[in-house]
Amino acid sequence: MYDIKWIRENPQKFDEGLKARGLDALSAKILAMDAERRAHLGELQALQQQRNAASGEIGKAKAAGDDAKAHELIDEVAKIKAAVRRGEDKERQLTAALDDFLATIPNRPLDDVPLGADETDNAEIRRQGDPPQFPFKARQHFEIGEAMGLMDFNLAAKLSGSRFVVLKGALARLERALAAFMVDLHTREHGYREISPPILVNDHVMFGTAQLPKFADDQFRTVDGRWLIPTAEVPLTNLVRESVLGHNELPVRVTACTPCFRLEAGAAGRDTRGMLRQHQFSKVELVSIVEPEHSDGELERMLGCAEEVLKRLQIPYRVMLLCTGDMGFGARKTYDIEAWLPGQKTYREISSCSACGDFQARRMQARYKPDGGKATRFVHTLNGSGVAVGRLLIAVLENGQCEDGSVIIPDALRGHMDGTRKILANGALEQA
């Protein structure tokens, strides 16, 4: 959400940000709506002053014994009050129209975000680790899992339809171990506080993190009007909604592992096989709430926390800086981490870390009191996958695969799997 005062003072900069997003200039339309609202507010205030003045004259007329004048003024005040009520209704309508329009406009990118139309224009920042060289043809994760008898898409389809999976035995154990490994890492070493949030939320919570109104069609909604969260970013960020934090309460760093639900309406025909793109998946999320001057540094810190997961598990990856055309709606700068998948012979997104500035904070009315300052300011919010559990399972299977159909478990994960060294081709666990 934008500050209308800032748009008034910076219309050219606002339009430049939209142009970088591939959108038309909107400042003229917004300022026209704002001007109409402000002009109407002036008329409404004039009416209120008229009403107050006439109300004061009623007492004077009665005190002077001029009942006729008093009745005339009473009638006049009644008419003005009716006009004020109509004016207040119109003011609410004009304000709602402006706010609703502003709510559909994406965040303005930072100056160091590369210009571009889509993912082909993203900038590679660095690579970590060398892709494994196998003396055999690498298989994709679903080929490995199905051969073990531990990854069942047909059974999931009977239960729920397409884009679901049933994991069994060692792979269900592996998924649980990966989630525990990441949460432990982020809480014990990276300073995040673990949260167990609701996964059903109300409209205003989804609006706060900008899933609504623009992306309503991509979400699952319950019969009572609540929403299944598409990411734990939604409840975690909203933990500070409608609050004023003290300077000493920042930064807030929280993490959660939750199920996530997405309709994936825009993904028709993509990744139809396997676990890469599902309606239900688990994800470890990182959220930071910081003072504005610490926002840029916090994004780099968060990225490092997510990278550490892949480093410890020895998964090759690269870091991409997303271009203006590929960033999410609420982000002003985003890094993607892409893990190497030998079965596909390419890098695929496994984490996305974004700085949102005060864009979400304005929607949530989340503020803080600066040290030594009296006026409150909006906090800055950041979020990142730390990382997606299902995609990390894919990366572990594909990078750890052996010619005999078994999968080697990374050393860093063995403590969460009772010392398991390998998942054998028949699905059994082999201890170290």
Side-chain angles (χ1 to χ4, degrees):
M1 183 70 83
Y2 286 93
D3 177 7
I4 187 62
K5 181 181 178 183
W6 185 87
I7 297 176
R8 281 189 220 121
E9 296 171 351
N10 302 276
Q12 183 176 350
K13 187 175 289 188
F14 175 74
D15 285 339
E16 287 172 354
L18 297 187
K19 183 180 178 181
R21 285 277 201 167
L23 301 175
D24 294 333
L26 294 174
S27 64
K29 178 177 180 178
I30 291 168
L31 294 179
M33 295 173 71
D34 180 51
E36 181 184 5
R37 183 183 66 88
R38 295 171 75 192
H40 178 73
L41 277 173
E43 295 171 1
L44 184 57
Q45 289 168 356
L47 276 174
Q48 290 167 336
Q49 290 170 355
Q50 266 187 291
R51 178 195 60 195
N52 294 339
S55 297
E57 291 298 318
I58 292 173
K60 293 178 183 179
K62 287 183 176 179
D66 190 344
D67 290 340
K69 180 66 173 177
H71 285 301
E72 181 182 332
L73 288 167
I74 289 170
D75 290 341
E76 181 182 348
V77 167
K79 291 177 182 178
I80 296 173
K81 282 183 177 179
V84 167
R85 285 194 295 272
R86 292 193 297 272
E88 289 172 340
D89 287 341
K90 184 176 179 181
E91 188 273 329
R92 283 190 288 271
Q93 292 169 5
L94 292 173
T95 298
L98 178 59
D99 288 346
D100 288 349
F101 188 65
L102 289 173
T104 66
I105 302 171
N107 204 351
R108 192 172 65 88
L110 292 178
D111 293 338
D112 62 344
V113 173
L115 296 176
D118 54 38
E119 61 187 19
T120 60
D121 295 317
N122 294 340
E124 183 174 318
I125 303 301
R126 58 179 170 271
R127 295 191 182 198
Q128 173 73 31
D130 297 320
Q133 301 298 316
F134 297 121
F136 57 89
K137 182 181 179 182
R139 293 183 295 175
Q140 295 196 54
H141 67 281
F142 52 84
E143 295 172 308
I144 299 168
E146 287 177 330
M148 289 178 169
L150 303 180
M151 188 179 290
D152 198 326
F153 298 97
N154 292 329
L155 179 56
K158 292 179 182 178
L159 301 176
S160 305
S162 62
R163 296 195 185 275
F164 291 90
V165 66
V166 172
L167 297 179
K168 305 174 182 178
L171 291 193
R173 174 78 177 276
L174 177 59
E175 182 184 47
R176 177 162 53 91
L178 287 169
F181 164 73
M182 287 186 280
V183 172
D184 287 348
L185 175 64
H186 296 316
T187 55
R188 295 174 182 175
E189 299 187 34
H190 296 155
Y192 289 87
R193 185 184 189 188
E194 185 175 1
I195 302 291
S196 179
I199 61 172
L200 284 171
V201 296
N202 295 321
D203 287 2
H204 61 270
V205 175
M206 293 282 277
F207 177 83
T209 45
Q211 273 72 31
L212 295 181
K214 187 173 179 62
F215 302 104
D217 290 343
D218 296 334
Q219 315 300 329
F220 283 100
R221 195 170 196 182
T222 62
V223 293
D224 65 356
R226 284 178 286 195
W227 304 84
L228 287 164
I229 61 169
T231 164
E233 169 202 345
V234 176
L236 291 182
T237 309
N238 275 276
L239 291 175
V240 298
R241 70 173 296 109
E242 297 169 9
S243 61
V244 178
L245 301 174
H247 166 75
N248 60 350
E249 295 180 84
L250 297 175
V252 173
R253 296 186 178 115
V254 288
T255 185
C257 180
T258 66
C260 305
F261 305 88
R262 296 182 188 174
L263 275 171
E264 295 284 4
R270 294 186 60 188
D271 302 312
T272 54
R273 287 208 66 187
M275 291 177 57
L276 267 167
R277 201 176 293 272
Q278 300 224 293
H279 291 310
Q280 176 187 327
F281 56 96
S282 295
K283 182 156 66 77
V284 174
E285 187 73 4
L286 307 174
V287 164
S288 295
I289 313 295
V290 302
E291 295 174 274
E293 53 268 33
H294 297 149
S295 184
D296 292 346
E298 187 69 15
L299 178 60
E300 302 299 326
R301 180 190 185 279
M302 180 178 284
L303 175 64
C305 294
E307 285 186 76
E308 188 63 24
V309 172
L310 301 182
K311 288 178 180 178
R312 300 255 179 128
L313 298 178
Q314 298 181 305
I315 304 295
Y317 68 88
R318 67 180 183 180
V319 176
M320 307 293 291
L321 175 59
L322 300 197
C323 71
T324 53
D326 198 32
M327 284 198 310
F329 181 85
R332 65 177 192 167
K333 184 176 181 178
T334 297
Y335 290 110
D336 272 5
I337 303 174
E338 298 179 348
W340 175 256
L341 300 185
Q344 290 192 14
K345 297 183 176 64
T346 190
Y347 290 95
R348 295 300 300 266
E349 179 197 339
I350 198 168
S351 171
S352 189
C353 299
S354 298
C356 299
D358 63 5
F359 188 82
Q360 293 177 326
R362 290 182 179 277
R363 301 167 81 102
M364 298 186 302
Q365 290 300 301
R367 301 172 183 264
Y368 77 103
K369 286 185 177 179
D371 188 23
K374 292 183 179 180
T376 61
R377 299 176 64 190
F378 287 105
V379 298
H380 278 203
T381 64
L382 303 96
N383 63 80
S385 313
V387 299
V389 181
R391 292 196 172 198
L392 185 56
L393 184 145
I394 291 171
V396 168
L397 291 180
E398 294 199 12
N399 284 279
Q401 64 181 293
C402 301
E403 190 169 10
D404 64 0
S406 63
V407 172
I408 296 172
I409 301 300
D411 291 345
L413 196 61
R414 291 176 187 175
H416 288 81
M417 291 194 68
D418 295 332
T420 297
R421 188 183 76 86
K422 184 184 285 189
I423 302 175
L424 301 178
N426 63 4
L429 298 177
E430 179 180 289
Q431 303 301 311

